[in-house]
Amino acid sequence: MTLVNLHQIMKAVFKKIIISASIVPMVASLILPFVVFAQRIQNDNIKRDTAFCSKISDTLTNIENRINERETKIKERRETRQSNIDERREKRDDRLAEFRQKRDENRSEYFQKLMEKAQTDAQKQAVVQFQTDINNAIIARKTAIDKAISDFRQGVNNAISSRKTSVDSLISTYKNSIKEAFNKAQIDCDNGVATSEIRTTLRTSLKELREKFENDRKNLDKINDSLDSLIAAKRAAFEKAISDFKTAVQTAKEKLKAVFPES
């Protein structure tokens, strides 16, 4: 082997070494970003998983706060509605009392005029009996009307109370079910269950609970349905009271006419 050939061989080997030395950092420079990016994704996933599990309690608290706010608004609406009901009832009672008082005054004048027309003892006695019969009929009508009003109002109160109990029970069950769903998520976090699985399970549970709550709420007995039957019962009681009164008055008038000459 000549010196020239040896020199050429050494030059070629040296060139390969130089090329190899230059390729290593170049390849490393291409791989390193992917390694760093993969590590960053892994770290982000760990942080995200840790954040999800650490925020379960706070998330539950936020949901419970929103439900409590809704409960407060429901309570305020109930109080406003009851206040309006009480106010309307008081006004109706005042109007009814005023109407009855005027009718009593007019009736007293009517009885007095009848007594002035009575000429004989029989006629005077007939007027007294007529007055008694009419007053008894009025008392019976008043008693029936007042009972119908009382029954109606008690029925309304019962319907409102029943719906209140049902709604409160529904909300309480909903809140407890949500708490159980979050408690399960926390237990799964503590036991190392995959966060994606925990998140999916929790989201599905909350969706199902919300849908169940809305369906149960819609299926509650509506107050308006109860009011229809209560209104019908009150109307029927009023009609009977008025019919009985008219019959009693007609009978009393016929007895009175029997002792009075035709005018």
Side-chain angles (χ1 to χ4, degrees), residues 85-239:
I85 290 175
D86 293 340
E87 183 178 354
R88 288 197 298 270
R89 288 177 176 177
E90 184 177 356
K91 288 181 179 179
R92 288 170 182 170
D93 288 344
D94 290 342
R95 288 197 298 268
L96 180 58
E98 182 179 356
F99 172 78
R100 285 174 172 175
Q101 182 178 356
K102 289 181 179 179
R103 293 296 297 270
D104 289 342
E105 293 174 354
N106 294 337
R107 194 176 303 108
S108 295
E109 293 179 1
Y110 175 70
F111 289 150
Q112 183 177 353
K113 290 180 180 180
L114 278 179
M115 185 60 71
E116 292 174 354
K117 292 181 180 181
Q119 301 298 321
T120 65
D121 291 339
Q123 290 177 344
K124 292 179 180 180
Q125 184 61 37
V127 171
V128 172
Q129 184 61 48
F130 176 74
Q131 182 175 347
T132 300
D133 291 342
I134 294 298
N135 286 338
N136 289 339
I138 291 173
I139 292 174
R141 182 184 62 180
K142 178 179 181 296
T143 300
I145 293 294
D146 289 348
K147 184 178 185 303
I149 293 174
S150 177
D151 290 346
F152 173 77
R153 290 179 178 179
Q154 187 60 49
V156 172
N157 292 343
N158 292 340
I160 293 174
S161 177
S162 176
R163 181 169 178 80
K164 175 182 178 297
T165 300
S166 298
V167 171
D168 289 347
S169 176
L170 186 62
I171 294 175
S172 177
T173 300
Y174 182 51
K175 290 170 65 176
N176 291 334
S177 298
I178 288 176
K179 185 178 295 184
E180 290 176 1
F182 274 90
N183 287 341
K184 182 182 184 306
Q186 185 64 65
I187 291 174
D188 289 343
C189 281
D190 296 339
N191 291 333
V193 179
T195 306
S196 58
E197 180 180 346
I198 300 174
R199 186 183 292 107
T200 300
T201 301
L202 179 60
R203 185 184 298 114
T204 301
S205 297
L206 294 179
K207 181 176 180 295
E208 292 175 351
L209 289 173
R210 184 172 59 254
E211 291 176 350
K212 184 178 185 304
F213 174 82
E214 291 299 331
N215 289 332
D216 291 345
R217 183 181 61 82
K218 292 177 182 178
N219 291 332
L220 287 177
D221 291 335
K222 297 180 180 179
I223 293 181
N224 289 340
D225 295 340
S226 300
L227 287 180
D228 290 340
S229 60
L230 291 172
I231 291 174
K234 183 179 71 171
R235 183 184 297 113
F238 276 16
E239 290 175 353

